[in-house]
Amino acid sequence: MTGHPVQVWWARLDDARPALLTLLDPVERARWESTPDPAGRGRFLVGCALGRLVLGRLLDLPPADVPLRRVCPRCAGPHGKPRLRTAPNGPADLDFSVTHSGRLIGVAVCRGGEVGLDVEESGPDTVVDVDSAAGVALSAPELAALHARPAGERQSAFLRTWTRKEAVLKALGTGLTVPLRELQVSPPDHPPTVLTWPTALPSHPRMSLADLLVENTHPAAVAVALRAPSGTEPSTTGTEQDETAVQVAVQDGTRTLADYAG
């Protein structure tokens, strides 16, 4: 059984270089300039540049000419999930997702569906207020299962659940506009899948998920909402999952950026 192919590029904050600024369009440049935090500016620059370099290669376009738009579904501001406009070359069914946490930045690309990628920086020095975050993000069954775990396992279990939920919502393009507690996913030590959907969603796509581990430390997840075949409607009930898993090919985003910036 083959999986739905997704390519994921990972880079780091240290990959931010001034030469990458030439890739940004006016909207991206304005957002970069208005970001007061140097680390935030760096993450944004790396995410934009890496996305443009990857998409430009796939679309056979100069990276600065990749036609992107960023429109928030709530306020129409320039900070929504970046999407491709109709491209002059290449397939029209290409989608991508950008994520960052701490010093990690990732870009995922797939065809035939909407993709969402999330990563959470973790490690011995990373401390998460699990109790506060879990109260907002987890359903009642997920919260009970988390508290049943030994205290030393709760942070890693929570981050695994969180990355799955974030990846699903990014694939849907809703962000955090739907209640996280209504989106229930499988337990961290089970294969990733959606168990219940938020009632605010009018339909439920066929969703495939995969867990990732970056640098053997940082939990991540990728989700693909597969487009319904022509003439069919997405499910409005149930939690049907696609029969094929996500098949992830990991790429070196640091090398991609270095090859461009020198």
Side-chain angles (χ1 to χ4, degrees), residues 225-239:
L226 297 173
R227 299 187 181 102
S230 178
T232 64
E233 294 294 331
S235 171
T236 57
T237 60
T239 57

Side-chain angles (χ1 to χ4, degrees), residues 5 7 12 51 57 90-91 95 100-101 108 121 127 132 134 142 146 169 172 178 188 198 202-204 215 228 239 250:
Q7 297 184 68
R12 299 187 66 83
R57 184 184 302 169
D95 191 46
H100 51 73
S101 176
E121 191 175 55
V127 178
S132 296
E142 290 170 334
L146 181 71
L169 296 182
L172 297 177
V178 299
S203 62
H204 309 149
E215 299 175 351
T239 57
V250 177

Side-chain angles (χ1 to χ4, degrees), residues 5 20 22 42 50 54 68 73 88 104 108 144 150 180 199 238 244 255:
L20 300 176
T22 60
L50 183 57
V54 168
L68 298 179
L104 300 170
L180 275 172
T199 56
T244 59
R255 173 60 63 87

Side-chain angles (χ1 to χ4, degrees), residues 8-10 97-99 106-108 115-119 167 170 212 220-223:
V8 177
W9 282 259
W10 293 113
S97 178
V98 180
T99 186
V107 173
V115 65
L117 177 68
D118 188 63
V119 67
K170 287 182 178 183
L212 306 173
V222 61

Side-chain angles (χ1 to χ4, degrees), residues 176-223:
L176 298 178
T177 60
V178 299
L180 275 172
R181 296 191 66 186
E182 293 186 13
L183 175 66
Q184 184 176 338
V185 297
S186 51
D189 47 0
H190 287 64
T193 188
V194 176
L195 300 180
T196 62
W197 292 93
T199 56
L201 294 177
S203 62
H204 309 149
R206 293 163 52 203
M207 184 72 67
S208 295
L209 294 92
D211 292 331
L212 306 173
L213 196 62
V214 185
E215 299 175 351
N216 297 316
T217 302
H218 313 289
V222 61

